[in-house]
């Protein structure tokens, strides 16, 4: 029997209230303001409650979407949050930063002829409501198994593995190199897109479930994986992300005033550089800022620069707008905040003054040819089209690589030619017995939810190992 078709007079999709662009471009307060209970209930009632929900198939962590939405429609917001926790350790995070338009909402049947259910908005609403008004109850864990797991890295994949294994009754210790847990969620994503209190709340839930979090611990330097096994851990998960900045190797790239997006965002977000001198972390505040790249990290960098007081911020990208990999929502917000897109343009060199400080850059105009391996049209330089413009700060956001610190200290761990860990794509098993890996350290830089999806598969495999054997 086919699914119900959406009615022509269907209720319009909820519109998320937001800060005014002219106001928010100068503050670090979260841009979307969230749904009211009335708005959430109305939106939840748009869901057709399909018998074979395609939205669930589109979710990397298999959240039972119709079930949590039904609970919102019934006004049981705490119940909806608990239903989310059954499959997702970070619902308040995912409701904010996941590319729902490509995943769950992209599969919604209402989207075939109209607008899909605002699944991300509803996920955020339920998690936020429970945090502010709920019972404070956390998911119940099963009887203790006596097995002990080390999770290395407290980013989205590590937190997912930890949450799933805690639910299954295992003892979990999370090792984080920075002074706060959260990984890319706290160092990479700005406050105006993901408030740090949200991440702290999600982490606190894991602690209530029994997670032991050890910050300021660099596995690979202060302790090795083999030493963790000697200390009594039965298994280990590597989820350290891909945090090694990638540069373009252009002339002048070592000038003062050129940052990697990794450093720029870490100083601003995790170390609260935007609140200097209240927090003792200085951050460069350029007046004419250029960001190289067009992914979500580039948008975060550009919007951060605007909030730090820049007069102008340019995104320089070698393809057209259609090929920009950032979420459409992020592109839209950046344009609203007066970020200029300089498209079909590629940098060729940087210029500085006698003190070694950046003063400008040279670019080359491009045109699009046939699609390359990425499926996007290949940019081709236009000879003789070089031109220069002034800038005093450049943020390079063209991707990242695997940091070799941990992998170099771990024998019997196979790596690919890019330095990423080789792991079974279905289970996350590595070549080293008792060790799994997932997220960006395996795949290269990807999205939060894909890292969480990898964590979910790994947790199931680790549970089988801990209870049945390798």
């Amino acid at each position: 029997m086919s699914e119900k078709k959406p009615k022509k007079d269907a209720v319009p999709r909820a519109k998320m209230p937001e800060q005014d662009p002219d106001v928010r471009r100068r503050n670090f307060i979260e841009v979307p303001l969230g749904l009211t209970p009335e708005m959430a209930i109305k939106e939840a009632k748009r869901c057709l409650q399909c018998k074979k929900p395609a939205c669930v198939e589109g979710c990397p962590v298999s959240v039972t979407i119709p079930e949590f939405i039904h609970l919102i429609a019934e006004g049981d917001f705490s119940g909806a949050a608990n239903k989310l926790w059954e499959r997702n350790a970070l619902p308040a995070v995912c409701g904010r930063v996941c590319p729902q338009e490509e995943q769950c909402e992209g599969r919604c049947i209402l989207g075939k002829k109209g607008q899909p259910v605002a699944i991300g908005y509803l996920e955020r609403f339920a998690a936020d409501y429970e945090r502010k008004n709920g019972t404070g109850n956390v998911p119940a864990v099963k009887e203790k198994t006596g097995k002990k797991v080390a999770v290395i890295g407290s980013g989205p994949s590590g937190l997912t593995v930890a949450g799933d294994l805690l639910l299954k009754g295992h003892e979990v210790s999370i090792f984080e190199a920075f002074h706060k847990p959260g990984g890319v969620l706290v160092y990479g994503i700005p406050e105006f897109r993901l408030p740090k209190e949200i991440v702290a709340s999600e982490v606190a839930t894991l602690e209530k479930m029994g997670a032991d979090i050890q910050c300021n611990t660099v596995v690979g330097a202060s302790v090795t994986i083999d030493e963790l096994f000697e200390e009594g851990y039965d298994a280990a998960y590597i989820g350290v992300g891909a945090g090694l900045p990638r540069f373009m190797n252009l002339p002048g790239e070592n000038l003062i005033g050129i940052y990697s997006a990794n450093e720029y965002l870490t100083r601003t977000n995790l170390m609260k550089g935007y609140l200097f001198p209240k927090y003792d972390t200085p951050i460069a505040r350029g007046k004419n800022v250029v960001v190289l790249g067009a992914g979500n990290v580039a948008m975060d960098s550009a919007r951060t620069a605007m909030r730090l007081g820049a007069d102008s911020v340019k995104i320089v990208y070698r393809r057209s707008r259609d090929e920009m990999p950032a979420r459409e929502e992020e592109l839209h917000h950046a344009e609203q905040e007066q970020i200029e897109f300089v498209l079909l343009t590629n940098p060729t060199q940087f210029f500085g003054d006698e003190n070694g400080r950046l003063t400008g850059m040279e670019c080359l105009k491009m045109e699009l040819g046939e699609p390359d391996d990425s499926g996007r049209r290949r940019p081709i330089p236009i000879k003789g089209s070089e031109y220069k413009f002034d800038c005093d700060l450049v943020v390079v956001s063209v991707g990242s690589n695997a940091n070799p610190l941990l992998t170099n200290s771990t024998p019997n761990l196979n790596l690919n030619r890019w330095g990423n860990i080789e792991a079974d794509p279905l289970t996350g098993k590595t070549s080293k017995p008792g060790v799994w890996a997932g997220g960006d350290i395996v795949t290269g830089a990807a999205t939060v939810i894909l890292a969480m999806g990898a964590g979910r598969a790994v947790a199931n495999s680790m549970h089988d190992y801990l209870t049945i054997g390798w």
Side-chain angles (χ1 to χ4, degrees), residues 8-25:
K8 292 183 179 179
D9 60 346
V11 176
R13 174 183 165 109
K15 183 175 176 58
M16 177 76 80
E18 296 180 346
Q19 279 196 76
D20 181 87
D22 288 336
V23 175
R24 75 185 191 229
R25 64 192 285 266

Side-chain angles (χ1 to χ4, degrees), residues 214-263:
Q214 300 184 33
C215 293
N216 300 307
T217 304
V218 183
V219 176
S222 55
V223 64
T224 66
I225 288 180
D226 286 338
E227 287 170 341
L228 290 175
F229 282 128
E230 292 172 4
E231 291 176 12
Y233 286 93
D234 299 290
Y237 173 71
I238 303 173
V240 293
L244 187 66
R246 185 185 301 164
F247 286 92
M248 302 179 73
N249 297 318
L250 297 175
E253 202 168 32
N254 61 342
L255 288 166
I256 299 169
I258 299 180
Y259 285 78
S260 69
N262 184 294
E263 179 182 357

Side-chain angles (χ1 to χ4, degrees), residues 248-302:
M248 302 179 73
N249 297 318
L250 297 175
E253 202 168 32
N254 61 342
L255 288 166
I256 299 169
I258 299 180
Y259 285 78
S260 69
N262 184 294
E263 179 182 357
Y264 187 68
L265 292 174
T266 299
R267 280 181 169 272
T268 308
N269 301 328
L270 178 66
M271 303 174 74
K272 298 188 183 296
Y274 70 97
L275 293 176
F276 180 82
K278 179 180 178 181
Y279 286 83
D280 193 19
T281 305
I283 183 71
R285 297 172 181 262
K287 289 300 182 182
N288 297 304
V289 180
V290 172
V291 176
L292 306 178
N296 290 328
V297 175
M299 297 306 132
D300 287 343
S301 300

Side-chain angles (χ1 to χ4, degrees), residues 305-347:
M306 182 62 75
R307 284 161 171 78
L308 289 174
D311 292 332
S312 73
V313 181
K314 296 180 175 67
I315 290 280
V316 172
Y317 181 54
R318 60 184 184 158
R319 291 184 167 97
S320 75
R321 194 187 191 288
D322 290 341
E323 286 79 32
M324 296 177 92
R327 292 181 66 190
E328 182 57 39
E329 181 179 61
E330 303 308 317
L331 297 174
H332 173 64
H333 281 160
E335 289 177 314
Q336 283 186 321
E337 294 167 10
Q338 301 179 29
I339 307 298
E340 179 185 353
F341 292 175
V342 182
L343 304 174
L344 292 170
T345 302
N346 209 35

Side-chain angles (χ1 to χ4, degrees), residues 404 407-408 410 413-422 431 441:
T407 54
N408 283 349
T410 308
L413 191 64
N414 291 345
L415 309 178
N416 64 21
R417 61 192 178 99
W418 298 285
N420 299 105
I421 297 173
E422 290 186 348
S431 57
I441 189 62

Side-chain angles (χ1 to χ4, degrees), residues 56-64 84 86-89 94 98 103 123 160 164 448-457:
V56 177
E57 297 174 4
C59 176
V61 294
S62 301
V63 168
T64 52
L84 282 163
E86 290 177 3
R87 300 293 180 89
N88 185 353
C94 290
C98 285
Q103 297 171 339
E123 182 176 34
T160 298
D164 281 12
V448 167
I449 193 63
L450 289 177
M452 294 178 66
R456 166 63 40 77

Side-chain angles (χ1 to χ4, degrees), residues 32-43:
L33 302 177
L35 301 180
T36 65
E38 295 75 20
M39 294 171 69
I41 290 173
K42 184 177 181 180
E43 180 63 22

